[in-house]
């Protein structure tokens, strides 16, 4: 009787029994293999991140598969080459010799004021201008350790090799204007005078009051706020930020018109039509050592504060001038005004309604040169 008795099994017990059976039939990976899979996945993820944040190596001019060398160049003491272009009267006939430093995303051909300075004035005043490709731009070799000081010393070497004399003038536009501060700091004894055309300011220069830089900073487009913040605090992410497609990056690097105010909307097409002939030269060695390096140097931590400079011409043997528009969407006028008050030995010219591209306004070159070289009043 006992052998023939049947036992009732509940549904819950049946399901539990089934689950246990299924568990017994699974095939778990050995712990060692699982660790290898996890490690491999981590390596793949890191490789993808590295690829995203690390730029391609630059294509050096004159190297195999690199851009051709078409410009005259000087060889610097560290072996790099600096490309240049001569403008105005012949060098040996010049009375006033200038070294011009171009702005962001430009080359030696983009000489602010040159197209708006009349040939007659250039001839009568004996103006000679040698413009350079800053390192990494055009046909000048990159300098991965570039600083305001290294650029100043590059320009001093150029001046010596071209025999510009014991003293020469310097002129810089935008980021090139910012670079002039390095020349005033490191080679003031070589300068006869300096022109800064809407020079870019660095929000992290120590003399700026925090409330002032905060105001100026948050007047920028949000995408530019992030661009500057990354260039300053996380420079190793600059390439990734300016090449990623998830968020808008630098409005200047992408040529956005959102940053342009009234005068610049008129003048920018004039500049663009002029620069279109040389557009392919600007970043031909790669974006990283040109525009991205510019952002990291310009908005990084400087080794000096321009507002602590002393007058390089205490006896009036030269002068320093800043020209700034009050409707400049690139450079906050409130910061430029503070610099002018902090350094009263600078001749500050603020243009009502002037934008960032004011040097391309008709007749502007004649006005600036007459004020700088002849002491005539500057009138818009």
């Amino acid at each position: 009787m006992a052998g023939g008795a049947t036992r009732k099994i509940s549904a819950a017990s049946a399901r539990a029994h089934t689950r246990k059976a299924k568990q017994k039939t699974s095939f778990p990976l050995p712990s060692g293999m699982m660790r290898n899979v996890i490690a491999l996945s981590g390596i793949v993820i890191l490789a993808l991140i590295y690829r995203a944040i690390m730029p391609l190596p630059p294509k050096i001019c004159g190297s195999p598969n690199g851009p051709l060398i078409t410009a005259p160049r000087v060889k610097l003491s560290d072996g790099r080459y600096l490309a240049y272009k001569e403008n105005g009267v012949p060098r040996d006939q010049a009375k006033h010799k200038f070294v011009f430093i171009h702005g962001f995303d430009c080359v030696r051909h983009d000489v602010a004021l040159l197209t708006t300075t009349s040939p007659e004035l250039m001839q009568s005043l004996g103006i000679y201008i040698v413009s350079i490709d800053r390192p990494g731009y055009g046909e000048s070799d990159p300098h991965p350790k570039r600083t305001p000081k290294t650029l100043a010393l590059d320009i001093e070497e150029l001046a010596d090799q071209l025999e510009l004399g014991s003293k020469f003038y310097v002129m810089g536009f935008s980021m090139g204007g910012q670079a002039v501060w390095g020349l005033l700091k490191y080679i003031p004894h070589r300068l006869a005078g300096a022109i800064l055309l809407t020079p870019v300011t660095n929000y992290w220069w120590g003399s700026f009051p925090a409330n002032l830089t905060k105001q100026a900073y948050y007047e920028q487009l949000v995408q530019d706020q992030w661009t500057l913040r990354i260039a300053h605090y996380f420079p190793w992410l600059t390439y990734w930020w300016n090449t990623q497609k998830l968020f808008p990056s630098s409005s200047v690097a992408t040529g956005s018109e959102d940053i342009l105010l009234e005068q610049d909307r008129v003048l920018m097409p004039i500049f663009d039509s002029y620069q279109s002939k040389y557009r392919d030269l600007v970043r031909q060695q790669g974006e990283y050592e040109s525009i991205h390096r510019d952002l990291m140097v310009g908005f990084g931590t400087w080794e000096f504060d321009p507002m602590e400079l002393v007058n390089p011409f205490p006896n009036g043997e030269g002068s320093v001038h800043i020209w700034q528009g009050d409707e400049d969407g690139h450079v906050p006028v409130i910061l430029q005004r503070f610099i002018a008050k902090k350094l009263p030995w600078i001749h500050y010219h603020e243009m009502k309604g002037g934008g960032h591209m004011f040097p391309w306004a008709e007749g502007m070159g004649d006005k600036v040169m007459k004020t700088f070289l002849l002491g005539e009043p500057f009138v818009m």
Side-chain angles (χ1 to χ4, degrees), residues 32-224:
M33 184 178 294
M34 180 60 72
R35 285 196 296 269
N36 290 340
V37 170
I38 294 172
L40 181 60
S41 300
I43 292 172
V44 170
I45 292 171
L46 289 175
L48 292 174
I49 294 174
Y50 181 84
R51 182 178 179 184
I53 66 175
M54 294 302 295
L56 296 173
K59 298 178 180 178
I60 307 298
C61 285
S63 65
N65 301 319
L68 297 176
I69 299 171
T70 64
R73 308 197 302 174
V74 296
K75 187 175 182 179
L76 303 173
S77 57
D78 63 0
R80 289 179 298 112
Y81 285 89
L82 196 71
Y84 66 91
K85 179 182 179 181
E86 296 180 284
N87 312 272
V89 303
R91 191 192 321 159
D92 59 354
Q93 300 175 22
K95 299 175 184 176
H96 302 99
K97 298 176 183 178
F98 285 84
V99 176
F100 178 80
I101 311 166
H102 66 75
F104 181 82
D105 209 12
C106 295
V107 283
R108 63 190 181 276
H109 301 291
D110 303 315
V111 185
L113 295 183
L114 188 62
T115 60
T116 57
T117 301
S118 64
E120 294 78 17
L121 187 69
M122 297 279 285
Q123 191 67 40
S124 65
L125 293 181
I127 298 174
Y128 160 89
I129 303 175
V130 56
S131 53
I132 64 169
D133 286 338
R134 288 193 283 121
Y137 280 105
E139 297 181 35
S140 288
D141 289 345
H143 191 339
K145 296 182 179 179
R146 177 160 64 93
T147 66
K149 182 176 183 178
T150 64
L151 181 57
L153 298 181
D154 286 353
I155 289 172
E156 184 177 30
E157 283 198 63
L158 171 85
D160 288 341
Q161 293 197 40
L162 295 185
E163 299 180 341
L164 299 187
S166 60
K167 289 182 179 290
F168 51 91
Y169 298 97
V170 292
M171 173 172 29
F173 168 66
S174 191
M175 290 293 276
Q178 185 193 59
V180 171
W181 294 118
L183 295 162
L184 291 168
K185 168 67 176 179
Y186 295 111
I187 59 167
H189 58 288
R190 299 299 306 275
L191 305 183
I195 296 176
L196 296 89
L197 305 170
T198 185
V200 171
T201 51
N202 182 319
Y203 296 87
W204 291 272
W205 287 339
S207 294
F208 280 135
N211 63 325
L212 192 68
T213 52
K214 183 177 180 180
Q215 176 187 344
Y217 183 82
Y218 286 106
E219 286 178 355
Q220 305 296 302
L221 297 177
V222 173
Q223 65 206 71
D224 291 330

Side-chain angles (χ1 to χ4, degrees), residues 246-259:
L246 299 174
F247 309 100
S249 58
S250 168
S251 63
V252 181
T254 57
S256 171
E257 295 186 358
D258 294 341
I259 199 172

